[in-house]
Amino acid sequence: MTLRGLDNPVKIKALKPEPPDQEELVRMIESAKRCLHDAEVEGLSNEGKLSSACTAAHILSLAAMR
């Protein structure tokens, strides 16, 4: 979705525009990296690995939206 594609959700107040925050972005990326590292832990159940990988994907999608 392009930035233009986000105009409608902003107009109907489903999304609130916020200024970018470089420090927040760095923290989110580092958090996602930790989750991906956790997903590779040997001995962790498949469900645990999937959960960690999904959490990383969720964090990165939030970072992209921010």
Side-chain angles (χ1 to χ4, degrees), residues 19-31 63 66:
D21 182 338
Q22 185 66 31
E23 290 178 17
E24 179 184 38
L25 179 62
V26 168
R27 284 192 309 269
M28 293 174 90
I29 291 171
E30 290 302 316
S31 179
R66 304 278 297 160

Side-chain angles (χ1 to χ4, degrees), residues 10-37:
V10 170
K11 286 179 187 174
I12 64 170
K13 300 189 191 273
L15 287 179
K16 181 179 94 176
E18 294 186 20
D21 182 338
Q22 185 66 31
E23 290 178 17
E24 179 184 38
L25 179 62
V26 168
R27 284 192 309 269
M28 293 174 90
I29 291 171
E30 290 302 316
S31 179
K33 285 180 182 178
R34 284 191 301 274
C35 289
L36 289 175
H37 176 67

